[in-house]
Amino acid sequence: MQQISKITLHIGFDDTDSLEGSCTTFIATELINRLHKRVEFLDYPRLIRNNPNIPWKTRGNGAIALTLSVHEDFVENVISTSINTIEELHQNNPDTNPGIVILKGKIPKEIHNFASRALTEVISISKAKEYAERYCYKHHFIGNGRGIIGGLAAVGNELNPEEEDFTYEILTYRTSDYIGKKRSLNDESVRRMDEQLSPLVFNNIDEESRKVLINPAGLDPVLYGIRGENPEILLQAKELVQIEEPLDSYCIFRSNQGTDQHFKYSKPIIRNFSVFKGEVKVIEKPETFVGGHVFFKGLILEKNQMIDVAAFEPSKKFRNVIRDLLPGDKLVAYGGIRYKTEIQNFALQLEKSDIHFLSEHFKEESPFCPKCEKRMTSDGFNKGYKCKKCSYKDRTLQKTKIPIQRKITLGTYIPPEQAQRHLVKPFRRYNVQRKKSFEIIENWWKKSSNN
Ligand code: ATP
């Protein structure tokens, strides 16, 4: 009897869209529709967010990986379908540089390491192409091929439940005749869905402004996306959201969104566009500048190196906490490093801070009169104090030191939902138990025209 031989294929791709249209997740959904009769899906498509500080991203620096089991006779056909789908559906635009990588079998540790670096550093196109040559069964690119970086990073970030936290997102897509038109989403139904399913869904609403956050703007084919802890809850959430336009398709992705995964691999190093995590001591009192941005000078304790730390205007209430820091306070600071021409220096743009030490500060006040208990006044330089009410004088009395009541308390602070980066773990997830495994449910994707 002939043995049926199945091959595990990993397909990663990125940089297929622009602000003028398309979305890498939409292309993934189209590809799933084209492949599903010939493959078995070993994982949900993974939506991997990489280093959020790279300047050439379109939106949230997301890349896609598919993990498939394929009969050996179909392998070449699956690969050519994947490459042709990217060729056909990518946005033809000088700033769009698609890349697709295909690996067979077990992912090499070098690709795992590449993926960890892609979360926190800037990787060159030439390095990615070198890795693609060495470790991929096939790779293909258009333009300068920058998408190879994200493609490799998505394949290498396997979100193994034993090692990594992960979440899910259901993305729904518009039919082509609706793309570009106003989105018909009932905001109240989104708020109700969020209340009903919290804490198993997150980042649907901005708690501060009550704004609905699930729908993108513009020419994006996504109608809305809902993030959550398991696929079943997302199918339920989709039923609760009321819309007034037909859906082309939907798909559930497994993702590192909302997990702080980039902070797990970051270091206290000042390098342009990198992710930073380090212990910082406040050196100067924070100041607010034009535009509402708050800056303070801090010392990176592990490196004995100064850094300008910033909470920018969009981080809203988070700035109030940063404004109330005082010299001597200590925090673990998390964020992105950017060279700022305004200050001609690198700045750390805060995404989160764990304030773990508040220094003591005092104000000095004139003493109270020991006889009549009224506040005394100075009797001149080095002459002590006198009481205006009872005329008592004492040359030995000194100013009393009163501890300043600090406005902030120790704890973790992050910007409000609307200013949070995709990777940042929202408070709602802090008490949710980490998942130990995942199972692929029925109806995890659907294309309406298949019915
Ligand atoms: P969308 O979220 O709409 O899919 P995007 O924000 O992901 O878009 P892309 O158009 O995919 O943006 O552009 C991001 C580009 O940056 C891709 O080419 C990707 O390969 C590359 N990239 C991702 N991570 C890194 C990194 N760490 N260093 C250098 N380049 C990176």
Side-chain angles (χ1 to χ4, degrees):
M1 214 170 66
Q2 210 187 344
Q3 272 230 309
I4 296 175
S5 180
K6 293 261 188 151
I7 309 268
T8 302
L9 272 193
H10 305 270
I11 302 177
F13 50 94
D14 197 5
D15 210 336
T16 59
D17 56 6
S18 74
L19 290 175
E20 271 112 62
S22 200
C23 170
T24 307
T25 68
F26 175 69
I27 295 183
T29 307
E30 283 299 306
L31 180 57
I32 288 163
N33 186 41
R34 291 177 188 190
L35 293 179
H36 77 279
K37 290 194 177 137
R38 282 169 279 167
V39 306
E40 183 194 343
F41 293 94
L42 300 180
D43 194 348
Y44 292 87
R46 289 194 305 283
L47 165 55
I48 299 298
R49 300 288 178 178
N50 288 305
N51 182 354
N53 305 299
I54 56 148
W56 42 84
K57 65 181 180 178
T58 310
R59 282 173 284 244
N61 199 12
I64 297 291
L66 304 180
T67 310
L68 315 169
S69 173
V70 188
H71 189 292
E72 62 182 348
D73 293 348
F74 291 154
V75 165
E76 293 310 319
N77 173 284
V78 164
I79 292 172
S80 57
T81 303
S82 305
I83 293 174
N84 293 342
T85 303
I86 303 286
E87 282 275 358
E88 181 196 332
L89 299 180
H90 80 277
Q91 273 288 302
N92 202 345
N93 179 304
D95 294 329
T96 302
N97 296 289
I100 173 165
V101 298
I102 294 110
L103 284 84
K104 275 186 181 175
K106 211 167 163 293
I107 303 285
K109 70 173 186 319
E110 289 80 0
I111 298 296
H112 287 145
N113 293 341
F114 181 99
S116 314
R117 284 182 46 215
L119 285 165
T120 59
E121 299 172 25
V122 176
I123 299 179
S124 67
I125 300 174
S126 59
K127 180 54 89 192
K129 285 183 177 165
E130 187 191 313
Y131 271 59
E133 290 285 344
R134 199 174 317 155
Y135 299 107
C136 293
Y137 174 64
K138 257 194 192 130
H139 68 283
H140 177 79
F141 60 85
I142 303 165
N144 68 18
R146 181 176 275 142
I148 295 281
I149 305 170
L152 282 174
V155 157
N157 197 342
E158 294 194 86
L159 300 181
N160 176 351
E162 279 163 28
E163 288 158 20
E164 302 289 344
D165 185 14
F166 62 92
T167 60
Y168 294 89
E169 177 158 6
I170 187 165
L171 284 157
T172 62
Y173 301 100
R174 319 183 78 184
T175 56
S176 54
D177 40 340
Y178 277 84
I179 292 176
K181 293 187 185 153
K182 192 174 177 305
R183 285 173 173 74
S184 61
L185 196 71
N186 180 324
D187 281 0
E188 262 324 299
S189 73
V190 179
R191 292 192 184 100
R192 279 198 300 273
M193 174 278 289
D194 186 65
E195 264 162 43
Q196 196 173 324
L197 304 182
S198 167
L200 297 181
V201 293
F202 58 91
N203 284 13
N204 299 311
I205 311 288
D206 181 66
E207 302 286 348
E208 209 176 310
S209 63
R210 302 297 298 153
K211 223 170 101 182
V212 168
L213 303 175
I214 67 171
N215 43 334
L219 297 169
D220 197 313
V222 171
L223 180 59
Y224 65 81
I226 305 172
R227 295 168 186 194
E229 300 298 333
N230 64 64
E232 292 88 351
I233 211 84
L234 295 182
L235 288 182
Q236 225 176 306
K238 176 178 154 290
E239 292 310 309
L240 293 172
V241 169
Q242 291 165 7
I243 52 172
E244 275 160 35
E245 61 176 82
L247 282 185
D248 171 84
S249 47
Y250 73 79
C251 185
I252 294 178
F253 294 81
R254 207 159 71 86
S255 180
N256 60 353
Q257 293 173 151
T259 64
D260 274 353
Q261 195 193 30
H262 58 329
F263 297 140
K264 182 171 165 185
Y265 295 98
S266 51
K267 299 191 184 101
I269 294 176
I270 302 180
R271 198 182 292 133
N272 210 9
F273 309 128
S274 298
V275 177
F276 177 99
K277 173 184 164 192
E279 168 113 22
V280 168
K281 182 175 169 182
V282 180
I283 299 298
E284 284 176 16
K285 204 172 166 337
E287 277 187 72
T288 305
F289 289 87
V290 186
H293 313 305
V294 179
F295 279 79
F296 70 85
K297 286 215 181 294
L299 179 73
I300 305 167
L301 292 174
E302 293 102 314
K303 301 271 169 189
N304 204 19
Q305 192 179 8
M306 294 295 288
I307 175 94
D308 286 292
V309 186
F312 287 102
E313 193 281 330
S315 63
K316 304 286 175 203
K317 264 202 210 152
F318 176 71
R319 291 170 304 160
N320 298 346
V321 177
I322 304 306
R323 238 182 236 126
D324 287 339
L325 289 167
L326 287 175
D329 292 349
K330 288 184 198 162
L331 58 145
V332 181
Y334 306 78
I337 301 286
R338 261 278 163 93
Y339 186 80
K340 292 272 163 199
T341 32
E342 306 92 289
I343 55 172
Q344 298 207 335
N345 206 348
F346 292 101
L348 165 62
Q349 175 174 349
L350 283 175
E351 287 174 36
K352 162 172 163 174
S353 55
D354 289 330
I355 302 177
H356 62 83
F357 178 77
L358 292 176
S359 56
E360 274 196 300
H361 287 260
F362 299 91
K363 57 180 178 191
E364 291 192 331
E365 285 182 353
S366 306
F368 286 105
C369 173
K371 291 206 162 160
C372 72
E373 293 182 354
K374 272 276 153 200
R375 175 94 58 201
M376 300 174 84
T377 49
S378 167
D379 203 19
F381 185 66
N382 270 346
K383 285 190 182 157
Y385 285 83
K386 66 175 177 209
C387 179
K388 277 191 177 159
K389 192 173 172 215
C390 70
S391 305
Y392 174 76
K393 280 190 183 185
D394 189 335
R395 290 184 79 92
T396 64
L397 279 178
Q398 306 222 324
K399 283 199 166 176
T400 42
K401 272 183 150 187
I402 298 171
I404 293 176
Q405 188 68 39
R406 298 295 306 269
K407 287 191 209 141
I408 44 172
T409 50
L410 300 182
T412 298
Y413 296 89
I414 50 177
E417 291 81 354
Q418 64 173 331
Q420 268 167 37
R421 287 184 145 166
H422 296 285
L423 274 160
V424 167
K425 184 167 167 170
F427 282 133
R428 202 179 272 188
R429 296 205 67 238
Y430 276 49
N431 295 321
V432 171
Q433 247 196 343
R434 240 187 80 177
K435 298 170 273 295
K436 304 240 163 37
S437 60
F438 66 88
E439 251 172 58
I440 302 181
I441 59 163
E442 255 182 68
N443 299 329
W444 59 272
W445 71 280
K446 191 173 176 189
K447 174 98 177 157
S448 304
S449 56
N450 289 350
N451 290 335

